[in-house]
C-alpha cells in the first residue's frame, strides 16, 4: 500500500519536473514570447507587459547571440519570422549547433573561451556595427553566453583575460567585483553590444541561468546598462593587490584617462532603443512545476528560486519542512508540494562521483529514513546534467536509505565520499532525462501526501 | 525613511519573539493547561483534547519531576491546587530553584549529572513507589530532565554511565541508538517511572526541548512507553564493538536473561493510568509568533519547527526566501513573516565567541547586504541564552553588514572566526532578554515589508 503510494508519488514528481523543464524549453520560450500577426510583431508574455512593433517600419531583421541554448532559440525565431530574417550569427558550445536556414551558427569553446569564439564575436560586432536606424536586431542570450561571446578589449589576449579571472578567484573577490573587472577589459560585455548596435532597435531575449535573474549578470549583459566604472575596476584591483598582465592594467588605466570607452550607463539614451526581456528563468520553471503539481491535487509552496548554500545542509532544511507537514500540517496540509530552485554548492571532501542534485537527494534520503512513507524528494538540473554524471538528479523517498542498506550500501558513507551517483545507480533512484537543451539551474520538489 | 522602516521592523521582530517566548513560559503553560473548577480538574489545552478528573476520587496528590524549568511549573501547580498537593519533590539545575510551599526542590548537576541528582531521584522513585491506586501523581518534565533524574540501574555508577555515553558519541551512534542504551542501564528512564507509580493515576506534563517533540525522547521519557529492548541495546553495543565498563555489560546481559526488568512497552496496561501531555514546545512558540505577527499585519508562514543543520547554510536558505518575497511576492506577498524553529548546529572553525542564533544572524546579514532595506532577520534562543554569551541571539537587517564595515568590522571575517558576539556587540544588533526560565529551542523570524 505504502509502496504503491510512494511509487505513484515518484511518478508524479517526475511529471512535475518534466513540466517545469518544458516551460523553459528555449524553442518554446521564444515561440511563445515572439508572435507575428500580419505585420505586427508582439514581444512579451502572452497578453501582458510586452511591446508591439510594426515590421513595415524596418528594412532588415538581424539576429545575433551567444549561449548554449541559442540554436533552438534561433530556430524558433526563424520559424516565426521566416524570410524576414535578413541574416545573423550566433555562437554556441561545441556540439550544440542545429541546422538553421538564415542564421549562421558558430561553435566555440565553453566554459573556456577560445579563438573561434573571439573570431565569431568580432563578426557579430561588425554585423551590429553595420546596423542602421531602420534595422531591427534580435539578440539571443543564454547560459554560457559570457564565455561564448569573448571579446578582450585593446590588445589583451584570451590567455591574459583568463589570468585575470584566475587571480580574481584566488583572491576571493565577489561575483560583482569579478564582473566589474571583466566588463572593463571587454569590448562587448556590460552593454557595449547595445552601443555598437545603436541606432538600430534591439530586442534582447534572455534565458536566465543566474540566481536572482539580474539582467546585467546574464552572460555579462552585452545589451544591458552597466553600473560599474573603470574607477571601480581599478579600485578592486588595488583592494586585492591583484597581479594582472601588463596589457590589462594598461587598458584599465586608459579607461581611467578617458582613452578607452566606459561601459554605457542606465541613463544613456541609446538604451531607449533596447528592449530587454527574460523569456525563461528558474522562477518560471518553478511556477510551471507548481501548476503541474496543483493539477495533481497538491497544494504548492514555492519557497525560493534563489536557494544557494552547501547542498547537504539545504537538503536538511527541505526535509524539516516535509516532517512538519506530516506532523502538524504546517506550512501546508498534505497533499503538499514544496518547490525550490537556484543552485547550491558542494564542498568536495570525498573522492566519489556525483552532482549537487544527487547529493541533495542522498542527504534528504538519510533524513527521511524512518519517517512515514508519504514523502518523495526530487532534485534535478534543468539542463539534464548533474555534475559530470549522465543523470539529471535523483528521486528519493522514505525507503531509499533502507533500500541501500539491503544492498549493503550505507547512505551516510556515500554522502561522506560525495559518491551519490554510485549509490543511486544501485538503488535505482537516478533521474535521467538526457540533455534538455535548456538551463535555468535546478528544480527541487518535496511531495508529501 | 528606510531607516525608520527598518527600526520599526526591528521593534516588531522583538515583540513577536517576546510573544513566542511568553507562550511557552513554564508557569503560564501549566496554569493554562491545568484548571480546577469546584472539584473537577481539567487538564488539556483550553476546551479540547483534554481529560477531566474528579478530585474527590483521589486521596492524595503527589508531584515529582525534573528539568531546568520545573520550579515555575511546580509553582503554577501549587497555585492551582493549593493545599490539595500532599507533597512532592522536583530536581532542578543549580541556581534554578524557586521557593515553593508544599513541593520540595532539589538542586543537582546539569548537564553532567551528580550524586545530588542520584540521591534525589532515589527519593522520587520511593515516593512514586508508595503511591496507591487512589493517588494522583503529577509529573513535571522539561529540558535537562534526563541529566537531572539520573538513576543508574544495578550496581552501575554515574561515572560508568558517563563512560558509556562518551563511547557512544565517539563511535558515531545515532540519537535513537544512544537512547536505547541509556534507557536500558537506567531504572527510571524509558517509562520505568510510570511502572513505579502504578497503580496511581499519573499526569505527566512536558515542556519539549527536542526536535520533533517525541515524548519518549523528552528527558528520556520516564513516563512514556519505550520501543527498544535489551536485545536492541546488546546489538547496538556489538554493532559498534562498544567498549563499556563491566557492570554495564553485566546489567544488559541480565536483562537479556530476563533477570533485569525490561522497559514497559506501549501495550502494557499500566499506561492506561498515565496521561502524557506536551504543554509547551517549539511549534507552539512558532504559532504564537505567527499570531503576533499577523496582528501587526504580516502574512505568516511557519516553515518548520524541526530545522536542523549547519547554521550559516540554514541562514542562507532563509534569506533566499526573503529575497524571493521581495522580487516576486512568493511564497508570500509582503508584508510577510517567515517563521522557523528547531535547533541548528555550528561547526567551530574559529576562535571567536558566539552562539548559533548570533551566527545565524551574522550569516544572514552578509546575504542581506545590498538588498532593499525592507528585510529584518531575528534569531533567538527561547531560554534567553545563546551559547555561552549573555545574549539570546541577534536582530539584523539589510544595513547591518555595512554598519559593521563603517566600524572597521568585516562581517565575513567575524563569521569565519565564529565571532558573532563580538561583531554584534559593536554594531548594536544583540538581542538581550535575560534568562526566560523556559527552553523550547530557537525561534527565527524573517520579516519583509
Amino acid at each position: 500500500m505504502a509502496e504503491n503510494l510512494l511509487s505513484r508519488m515518484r511518478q508524479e514528481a517526475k511529471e512535475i519536473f518534466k513540466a517545469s523543464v518544458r516551460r523553459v524549453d528555449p524553442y518554446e520560450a521564444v515561440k511563445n514570447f515572439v508572435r507575428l500577426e500580419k505585420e505586427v510583431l508582439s514581444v512579451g508574455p502572452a497578453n501582458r507587459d510586452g511591446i508591439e512593433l510594426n515590421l513595415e517600419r524596418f528594412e532588415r531583421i538581424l539576429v545575433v547571440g551567444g549561449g548554449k541554448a541559442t540554436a533552438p532559440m534561433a530556430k524558433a525565431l526563424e520559424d516565426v519570422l521566416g524570410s524576414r530574417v535578413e541574416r545573423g550569427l550566433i555562437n554556441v558550445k561545441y556540439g550544440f549547433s542545429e541546422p538553421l536556414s538564415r542564421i549562421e551558427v558558430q561553435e566555440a569553446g565553453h566554459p573556456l573561451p577560445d579563438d573561434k569564439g573571439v573570431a565569431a564575436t568580432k563578426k557579430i560586432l561588425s554585423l551590429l556595427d553595420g546596423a542602421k536606424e531602420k534595422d531591427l536586431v534580435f539578440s539571443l542570450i543564454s547560459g554560457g553566453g559570457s564565455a561564448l561571446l569573448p571579446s578582450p578589449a585593446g590588445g589583451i589576449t584570451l590567455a591574459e583575460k583568463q589570468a585575470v579571472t584566475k587571480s580574481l578567484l584566488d583572491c576571493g573577490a565577489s561575483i560583482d567585483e569579478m564582473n566589474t573587472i571583466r566588463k572593463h577589459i571587454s569590448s562587448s560585455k556590460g552593454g557595449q553590444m547595445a552601443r555598437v548596435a545603436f541606432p538600430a532597435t534591439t530586442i534582447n531575449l534572455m534565458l536566465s541561468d543566474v540566481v536572482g535573474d539580474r539582467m546585467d549578470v546574464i552572460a555579462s549583459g552585452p545589451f544591458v546598462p552597466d553600473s560599474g566604472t573603470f574607477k571601480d575596476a581599478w579600485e578592486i584591483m588595488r583592494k586585492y593587490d591583484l597581479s594582472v598582465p601588463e596589457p590589462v592594467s594598461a587598458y584599465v588605466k586608459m579607461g581611467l584617462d578617458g582613452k578607452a570607452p566606459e561601459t554605457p550607463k542606465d541613463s544613456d539614451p541609446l538604451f531607449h532603443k533596447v528592449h530587454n526581456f527574460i523569456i525563461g528563468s528558474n522562477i518560471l520553471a518553478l511556477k510551471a512545476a507548481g501548476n503541474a503539481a496543483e493539477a495533481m491535487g497538491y497544494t504548492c509552496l514555492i519557497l525560493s528560486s534563489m536557494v544557494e548554500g552547501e547542498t547537504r545542509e539545504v537538503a536538511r532544511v527541505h526535509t524539516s519542512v516535509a516532517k512538519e507537514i506530516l506532523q502538524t500540517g504546517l506550512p501546508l496540509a498534505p497533499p503538499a508540494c514544496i518547490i525550490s530552485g537556484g543552485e547550491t554548492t558542494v564542498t568536495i571532501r570525498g573522492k566519489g562521483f556525483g552532482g549537487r542534485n544527487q547529493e541533495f537527494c542522498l542527504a534528504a534520503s538519510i533524513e527521511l529514513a524512518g519517517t512515514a512513507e508519504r514523502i518523495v524528494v526530487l532534485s534535478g538540473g534543468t539542463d539534464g546534467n548533474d555534475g559530470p554524471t549522465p543523470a539529471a538528479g535523483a528521486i528519493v523517498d522514505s525507503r531509499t536509505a533502507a533500500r541501500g542498506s539491503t544492498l549493503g550500501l550505507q547512505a551516510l558513507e556515500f554522502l561522506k565520499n560525495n559518491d551519490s551517483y554510485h549509490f543511486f545507480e544501485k538503488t535505482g533512484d537516478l533521474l535521467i532525462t538526457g540533455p534538455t537543451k535548456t538551463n535555468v539551474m535546478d528544480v527541487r520538489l518535496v511531495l508529501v501526501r
Side-chain angles (χ1 to χ4, degrees), chain A:
Chain A
M1 184 62 196
E3 187 88 44
N4 280 348
L5 178 65
L6 285 180
S7 92
R8 171 180 152 207
M9 289 171 70
R10 291 168 67 96
Q11 194 52 41
E12 288 173 334
K14 263 188 228 181
E15 280 166 29
I16 296 166
F17 180 71
K18 260 190 220 164
S20 73
V21 173
R22 204 179 309 127
R23 171 63 187 87
V24 289
D25 175 82
Y27 179 88
E28 296 297 335
V30 169
K31 203 84 191 285
N32 293 329
F33 213 86
V34 181
R35 296 168 303 271
L36 184 63
E37 204 165 324
K38 290 179 185 162
E39 286 303 294
V40 177
L41 191 70
S42 309
V43 182
N47 303 323
R48 58 186 181 83
D49 293 341
I51 56 167
E52 293 204 339
L53 296 172
N54 192 327
L55 286 193
E56 287 163 354
R57 276 171 52 198
F58 299 102
E59 282 174 4
R60 300 186 301 170
I61 296 182
L62 306 170
V63 181
V64 297
K68 286 190 279 181
T70 46
M73 291 168 82
K75 178 78 172 65
L77 212 52
E78 285 194 344
D79 286 353
V80 173
L81 298 173
S83 62
R84 287 176 188 83
V85 174
E86 173 85 12
R87 55 190 286 234
L89 172 58
I90 57 168
N91 295 357
V92 303
K93 182 175 173 158
Y94 290 109
F96 281 62
S97 67
E98 288 187 18
L100 297 175
S101 329
R102 311 182 70 89
I103 301 165
E104 192 186 340
V105 185
Q106 174 64 52
E107 297 194 341
H110 176 275
L112 282 188
D114 65 5
D115 291 339
K116 293 270 188 213
V118 173
T121 307
K122 213 168 265 176
K123 279 175 74 179
I124 286 175
L125 286 167
S126 131
L127 184 65
L128 292 174
D129 200 31
K132 304 276 182 295
E133 167 108 48
K134 292 209 151 185
D135 289 338
L136 175 61
V137 173
F138 269 96
S139 158
L140 305 172
I141 298 286
S142 74
S146 196
L148 291 166
L149 292 170
S151 174
I156 301 168
T157 66
L158 260 190
E160 285 162 350
K161 217 179 144 180
Q162 280 155 30
V164 174
T165 301
K166 192 178 172 311
S167 302
L168 284 165
L169 283 173
D170 289 348
C171 74
S174 71
I175 295 286
D176 279 345
E177 289 171 335
M178 291 184 64
N179 285 338
T180 299
I181 299 222
R182 280 198 288 217
K183 289 176 178 180
H184 286 87
I185 57 175
S186 156
S187 57
S188 65
K189 302 183 197 306
Q192 297 185 84
M193 276 198 179
R195 180 163 52 208
V196 179
F198 187 83
T201 296
T202 300
I203 295 174
N204 181 31
L205 305 179
M206 290 166 276
L207 196 60
S208 167
D209 69 332
V210 305
V211 171
D213 300 329
R214 267 177 54 191
M215 291 185 181
D216 61 332
V217 176
I218 302 167
S220 302
F223 290 90
V224 181
D226 182 33
S227 55
T229 61
F230 277 111
K231 191 155 170 285
D232 296 332
W234 186 252
E235 277 167 11
I236 294 161
M237 284 164 59
R238 276 185 30 182
K239 173 177 170 187
Y240 294 105
D241 200 9
L242 210 66
S243 124
V244 298
E246 198 281 326
V248 170
S249 54
Y251 185 77
V252 175
K253 264 184 221 156
M254 276 174 61
L256 278 177
D257 296 344
K259 290 174 191 156
E262 182 55 88
T263 54
K265 300 291 166 279
D266 197 29
S267 56
D268 196 314
L270 78 87
F271 287 110
H272 294 161
K273 304 287 273 184
V274 182
H275 305 277
N276 285 305
F277 294 102
I278 290 178
I279 62 166
S281 64
N282 190 265
I283 189 73
L284 292 175
L286 301 189
K287 285 179 179 174
N291 291 339
E294 274 171 9
M296 295 173 188
Y298 289 96
T299 313
C300 291
L301 187 74
I302 294 175
L303 264 192
S304 177
S305 67
M306 300 184 219
V307 174
E308 299 177 281
E310 184 67 29
T311 304
R312 61 187 66 191
E313 307 298 331
V314 174
R316 296 180 75 182
V317 177
H318 282 68
T319 53
S320 79
V321 179
K323 291 176 186 176
E324 190 69 53
I325 291 172
L326 271 186
Q327 188 146 324
T328 65
L330 289 171
L332 303 173
C337 176
I338 304 293
I339 303 169
S340 83
E343 196 169 293
T344 61
T345 44
V346 171
T347 305
I348 305 280
R349 295 199 175 86
K351 294 177 173 174
F353 188 63
R356 57 184 184 270
N357 290 287
Q358 289 161 77
E359 179 143 320
F360 181 94
C361 287
L362 187 54
S365 73
I366 293 167
E367 297 294 322
L368 295 183
T371 61
E373 296 175 2
R374 324 182 65 81
I375 307 179
V376 163
V377 171
L378 177 152
S379 184
T382 52
D383 59 357
N385 244 324
D386 190 30
T389 75
I395 314 180
V396 297
D397 59 55
S398 323
R399 297 167 82 124
T400 296
R403 260 202 311 277
S405 291
T406 308
L407 298 167
L409 316 171
Q410 299 312 317
L412 191 57
E413 295 307 311
F414 280 77
L415 181 63
K416 280 182 185 158
N417 198 29
N418 301 115
D419 202 17
S420 48
Y421 179 79
H422 289 130
F423 185 85
F424 291 133
E425 192 188 22
K426 300 245 170 57
T427 60
D429 292 300
L430 289 172
L431 171 69
I432 296 186
T433 63
T436 61
K437 299 186 180 177
T438 189
N439 181 19
V440 297
M441 302 176 288
D442 303 330
V443 171
R444 297 172 219 101
L445 307 170
V446 179
L447 304 187
V448 187
R449 273 210 182 260

